[in-house]
C-alpha cells in the first residue's frame, strides 16, 4: 500500500473522502485525549451511532504518545455513522476538546484514512485498486492527494 497526503482540508474534499470510505470501510475511529476523556457512560456525543469498541491506547494512525494514552472509540460506518461524520464539514473540525483524529478502517483491520487534527494533517493508505477508484470516480479527491515518502507514516 502507498500513503498519500490530502493537501486541502475543505468541505468538498471531506465529503469525497467520506463517500470513498463507504465503498471500502466498515468502521471509523475517534480519539478522546486524557485531559478531556469522559467516563465511558458520558460519551453522549456518540448519539445513536453504533459503538463497536472502546479502549485506551498510546498510538493510532499518525500518532504515538510517549508516557500517555487516550480513549479510542471505534464506530460502525453505516448510514447513521455516515450522518454523524457529516455533522462536521472538514477533517480539522474533529478537534479537541471534543473527539479528534478521525480515521477510517477497512474490514480487515487496516486503516484507509488517518488524521492528526491539531496539525491539519490528513493521509490515505491506499491499495492499487483504491487509488484506481479515486482516479476514475473521485477526480476532485485525486487532485488533492500527494504521495508520501515510503517511511513517512506508520
Amino acid at each position: 500500500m502507498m500513503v498519500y497526503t490530502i493537501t486541502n482540508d475543505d468541505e468538498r474534499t471531506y465529503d469525497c473522502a467520506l463517500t470513498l470510505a463507504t465503498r471500502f470501510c466498515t468502521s471509523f475511529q475517534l480519539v478522546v485525549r486524557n485531559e478531556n476523556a469522559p467516563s465511558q457512560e458520558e460519551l453522549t456525543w456518540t448519539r445513536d451511532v453504533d459503538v463497536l469498541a472502546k479502549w485506551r491506547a498510546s498510538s493510532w494512525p499518525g500518532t504515538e504518545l510517549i508516557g500517555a494514552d487516550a480513549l479510542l472509540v471505534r464506530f460502525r460506518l453505516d448510514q447513521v455513522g455516515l450522518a454523524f461524520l457529516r455533522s462536521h464539514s472538514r477533517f480539522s473540525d474533529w478537534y479537541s476538546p471534543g473527539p479528534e483524529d478521525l480515521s477510517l478502517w477497512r474490514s480487515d483491520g487496516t486503516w484507509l484514512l488517518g488524521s492528526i487534527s491539531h496539525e491539519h494533517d490528513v493521509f490515505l493508505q491506499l491499495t492499487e485498486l483504491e487509488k484506481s477508484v479515486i482516479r476514475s470516480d473521485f477526480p476532485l479527491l485525486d487532485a488533492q492527494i500527494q504521495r508520501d515518502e515510503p517511511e513517512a507514516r506508520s
Side-chain angles (χ1 to χ4, degrees):
M1 282 191 256
M2 296 301 304
V3 177
Y4 300 83
T5 298
I6 295 178
T7 59
N8 188 10
D9 180 20
D10 64 13
E11 293 175 15
R12 291 174 43 201
T13 305
Y14 181 73
D15 189 61
C16 281
L18 293 182
T19 303
L20 173 72
T22 64
R23 294 197 190 179
F24 296 105
C25 297
T26 57
S27 64
F28 65 96
Q29 180 176 290
L30 291 164
V31 177
V32 180
R33 299 288 180 132
N34 278 346
E35 61 269 16
N36 305 310
S39 70
Q40 293 191 3
E41 293 78 31
E42 295 174 326
L43 292 175
T44 56
W45 50 266
T46 62
R47 301 181 195 163
D48 296 324
V49 183
D50 189 9
V51 175
L52 300 174
K54 298 176 223 174
W55 69 98
R56 299 201 72 77
S58 59
S59 65
W60 52 91
T63 300
E64 186 160 342
L65 301 177
I66 298 173
D69 66 3
L71 178 66
L72 278 58
V73 185
R74 185 79 54 97
F75 302 89
R76 183 177 319 281
L77 183 59
D78 56 12
Q79 291 303 315
V80 175
L82 187 60
F84 175 70
L85 291 175
R86 287 197 165 129
S87 70
H88 290 65
S89 56
R90 55 182 42 127
F91 296 103
S92 56
D93 287 348
W94 295 104
Y95 187 70
S96 185
E100 61 183 322
D101 294 355
L102 171 65
S103 54
L104 302 167
W105 295 79
R106 300 176 187 90
S107 62
D108 68 2
T110 59
W111 58 270
L112 176 104
L113 180 142
S115 65
I116 307 169
S117 301
H118 69 276
E119 293 181 10
H120 303 278
D121 192 12
V122 185
F123 38 92
L124 296 163
Q125 178 178 243
L126 303 173
T127 64
E128 284 298 319
L129 172 64
E130 292 159 346
K131 178 63 172 120
S132 175
V133 167
I134 289 173
R135 197 175 303 117
S136 65
D137 297 355
F138 298 92
L140 180 122
L141 182 59
D142 192 45
Q144 302 299 328
I145 62 176
Q146 177 180 0
R147 188 170 164 187
D148 274 1
E149 294 299 317
E151 68 279 349
R153 308 270 180 205
S154 58

